[in-house]
Amino acid sequence: MADLSARPEVTEGQQTLTKVSAYDKFIAKEGIPNITGFAVDDVRAVEVKPWARLDCLGTYINLDGTAGTNDAYVAEIPPGGKMAPEKHLFEKDIYVLSGRGATVVGDDPNNQTSFEWKEGSIFSIPINVSHRHMNGSGTDPARFLAVTTLPLVLSLFHNEEFVFNNPFAFTDRYGDNRQYQGEGRMYTGNSGRVNVWETNFIPDIETFTTFTWKERGAGGSSVMFELADNTQAAHVSQFPVGTYKKAHRHGPGAHVIIVSGTGYSLLWPPSAKVPEDVIRVDWKRGGLIVPPNDWFHQHFNGGAESARYLAFRWGSQKHGFVFDPGEADMSEKLGGAQIEYEDEHDFIHDTFQETLDKTGTKSKMADFIPRLRS
Ligand SMILES: [Fe+2]
């Protein structure tokens, strides 16, 4: 019997394997920029370059916190322009950053549906359904941010033909055409603590009603979204002037996009020293942060108006998956992944107070942190 523990002899002409992910190979030939790093200051202002495959302008965004599980891109459609039609075997959630336009959906040219969108809309086309985005203005560009599962899907199957030209129809994900007009259904999330709106299209994320989610702290409110029966999910979170949310941690790939307000986030790995190793990211409308896998992160409203963000992320309320956030709104002391206000380092509130003092904004945190009232 052969000794399998021994390193095999190298035979003449034997080649060495080189490792590259199919995703990295794919985006290298896309011919558009790829923004990397920890956060993006303003996705509304990032530079976009001609993108031949989709007949628009674009840039990829691959931030550290995705851990290669999902990605983002910004696409800009010139005035009067139409993007190339496409279908693909990965999920894609879209947030319209500016302008207005329409999307035509359907594999059968004689049986398509369409819907109109504008700045503030979010939507998702069911996986592997043909679609085409077009600008509705002849004078202004239209720009959107997409968060997709392409890195995972393409790296796993490493076959572009399979991913981009696959005849399988996921009819179980289609839903109802009225879902493209903003109709949907409200559910209770599986924790019993959140509301979940299921649809394919939301006309305006900036004004969509949010619901109190006291477990995440300080007067904050949220609403969860299930779009196009995806494994990716979304939510909007709003927090009042003079407040901040509790720190928590979960898996990779949560793209947090600032919709309104100004403030900052603190991020640190569980093994880090607080405050020495804490990273601060200041943000405003258009900011994008992806907290790294299992890092604590905490969002602070540092401005004079309420702050709202949209998150495209793993963690569907319907489809369990390896990157589920788990009990991210429950104290670590109870087996969850959240730091309650009374357990946080004094640095957290002290820094917040210093930030507010610079603008003369009053903190409301004494209502939530007992030590501040003594
Ligand atoms: Fe989070």
Side-chain angles (χ1 to χ4, degrees):
M1 202 168 176
D3 179 4
L4 296 177
S5 67
R7 190 174 175 190
E9 290 295 319
V10 174
T11 58
E12 200 180 325
Q14 182 169 308
Q15 294 181 324
T16 303
L17 293 172
T18 51
K19 182 157 64 177
V20 61
S21 85
Y23 174 75
D24 290 344
K25 216 156 58 175
F26 175 75
I27 66 163
K29 66 184 186 192
E30 286 276 79
I32 58 171
N34 180 29
I35 297 168
T36 57
F38 205 77
V40 175
D41 189 48
D42 187 358
V43 288
R44 293 162 193 278
V46 292
E47 186 183 19
V48 287
K49 292 274 181 70
W51 193 355
R53 182 174 65 85
L54 291 179
D55 202 7
C56 63
L57 304 162
T59 180
Y60 279 100
I61 302 173
N62 274 280
L63 299 185
D64 300 343
T66 65
T69 64
N70 56 5
D71 73 351
Y73 65 76
V74 169
E76 186 172 295
I77 317 173
K82 286 180 182 172
M83 288 176 65
E86 58 169 337
K87 62 185 274 186
H88 44 68
L89 215 66
F90 55 90
E91 297 174 354
K92 178 170 70 185
D93 291 337
I94 287 178
Y95 171 42
V96 181
L97 299 170
S98 60
R100 61 185 172 83
T103 297
V104 177
V105 185
D107 293 329
D108 177 357
N110 298 316
N111 187 23
Q112 290 179 313
T113 190
S114 67
F115 62 95
E116 294 183 6
W117 40 258
K118 62 175 178 50
E119 179 175 332
S121 301
I122 67 170
F123 59 91
S124 185
I125 309 302
I127 191 171
N128 215 29
V129 173
S130 299
H131 57 279
R132 184 175 203 179
H133 309 298
M134 48 200 77
N135 191 338
S137 166
T139 54
D140 297 318
R143 175 179 278 227
F144 65 78
L145 176 84
V147 173
T148 91
T149 62
L150 176 62
L152 198 68
V153 172
L154 188 53
S155 299
L156 193 61
F157 294 107
H158 44 85
N159 185 304
E160 290 174 26
E161 184 70 8
F162 179 73
V163 173
F164 287 97
N165 192 17
N166 190 312
F168 188 81
F170 292 79
T171 52
D172 54 319
R173 296 197 185 205
Y174 285 4
D176 183 319
N177 274 349
R178 287 174 303 182
Q179 288 190 326
Y180 294 114
Q181 311 306 327
E183 297 212 11
R185 189 165 173 187
M186 193 68 86
Y187 294 89
T188 301
N190 41 61
S191 70
R193 298 189 285 272
V194 292
N195 283 320
V196 186
W197 179 248
E198 180 167 43
T199 187
N200 288 345
F201 171 72
I202 293 160
D204 188 357
I205 207 71
E206 306 195 9
T207 57
F208 198 93
T209 303
T210 53
F211 303 88
T212 302
W213 191 9
K214 63 178 179 5
E215 288 81 4
R216 292 286 292 124
S221 56
S222 288
V223 61
M224 308 282 149
F225 300 114
E226 296 285 322
L227 299 170
D229 207 28
N230 288 339
T231 306
Q232 281 199 141
H235 69 273
V236 156
S237 190
Q238 175 148 332
F239 43 125
V241 176
T243 70
Y244 62 85
K245 301 185 64 160
K246 297 175 186 174
H248 75 170
R249 58 185 170 133
H250 47 68
H255 288 71
V256 176
I257 309 135
I258 308 302
V259 171
S260 59
T262 55
Y264 63 98
S265 298
L266 299 179
L267 307 98
W268 66 97
S271 58
K273 283 201 194 78
V274 178
E276 294 89 329
D277 300 330
V278 172
I279 293 173
R280 174 173 173 148
V281 177
D282 288 278
W283 43 252
K284 60 182 190 302
R285 179 172 163 83
L288 171 66
I289 309 162
V290 184
N293 182 28
D294 211 32
W295 280 36
F296 284 109
H297 49 280
Q298 191 159 11
H299 306 301
F300 301 78
N301 185 346
E305 58 172 317
S306 67
R308 176 175 278 230
Y309 65 75
L310 163 71
F312 283 145
R313 53 165 176 74
W314 299 109
S316 159
Q317 299 279 331
K318 295 172 69 182
H319 303 294
F321 195 48
V322 288
F323 307 123
D324 275 352
E327 303 287 359
D329 65 347
M330 183 187 286
S331 168
E332 288 199 305
K333 291 180 294 192
L334 300 173
Q338 178 167 266
I339 300 174
E340 299 299 313
Y341 291 133
E342 62 268 27
D343 299 324
E344 68 187 19
H345 194 289
D346 287 356
F347 157 82
I348 301 291
H349 181 267
D350 293 348
T351 306
F352 181 62
Q353 189 62 58
E354 283 165 23
T355 303
L356 292 193
D357 286 347
K358 286 180 191 152
T359 60
T361 307
K362 199 171 171 332
S363 170
K364 296 195 181 81
M365 293 309 294
D367 294 345
F368 307 96
I369 305 178
R371 78 173 171 88
L372 300 176
R373 298 196 292 271
S374 56

